[in-house]
Amino acid sequence: MVNPVQYHLDTENGKRIITIEPVYEEITGGDLFSTGRYLLSEADCGSGEIRFDGELFEWEWNGTKQLGDESIFRMVNFIREYNEPELAGYND
């Protein structure tokens, strides 16, 4: 994932839109390096983060509307399987 993406989360209480934004770090020569961190935000309802370390991940959410474990697992799988639309044609 290169660009922020809006994730549509279906819950018992209705649809929620969570923005997932990858965090990159600039390294020597100006190249960008993926940190494995993804910032989560929901319009005026909260923010959080998912952090990957290989296959393992950690997450936190500081929102008024909580995210259940199942919702987090769905977002984690979405991030792992996501192909950037404009880059999809360039994958080997």
Side-chain angles (χ1 to χ4, degrees), residues 9-48:
L9 179 64
D10 291 319
T11 69
E12 299 168 349
N13 301 324
K15 202 173 273 258
R16 294 171 66 178
I17 299 176
I18 310 288
T19 300
I20 303 172
E21 182 176 351
V23 177
Y24 285 86
E25 186 176 300
E26 189 172 339
I27 58 176
T28 307
D31 292 333
L32 295 178
F33 172 76
S34 176
T35 62
R37 292 178 51 219
Y38 296 84
L39 302 178
L40 309 175
S41 62
E42 184 175 20
D44 301 329
C45 293
S47 62

Side-chain angles (χ1 to χ4, degrees), residues 2-81:
V2 176
N3 297 304
V5 108
Q6 288 190 339
Y7 180 76
H8 297 264
L9 179 64
D10 291 319
T11 69
E12 299 168 349
N13 301 324
K15 202 173 273 258
R16 294 171 66 178
I17 299 176
I18 310 288
T19 300
I20 303 172
E21 182 176 351
V23 177
Y24 285 86
E25 186 176 300
E26 189 172 339
I27 58 176
T28 307
D31 292 333
L32 295 178
F33 172 76
S34 176
T35 62
R37 292 178 51 219
Y38 296 84
L39 302 178
L40 309 175
S41 62
E42 184 175 20
D44 301 329
C45 293
S47 62
E49 185 175 325
I50 293 176
R51 294 175 297 280
F52 286 95
D53 182 12
E55 287 297 313
L56 302 175
F57 70 92
E58 296 178 353
W59 68 275
E60 61 184 63
W61 180 256
N62 302 318
T64 54
K65 294 181 182 177
Q66 289 301 313
L67 293 173
D69 290 342
E70 185 177 324
S71 296
I72 291 295
F73 290 134
R74 283 190 276 167
M75 281 193 279
V76 164
N77 286 332
F78 172 80
I79 292 169
R80 285 182 175 152
E81 296 172 3

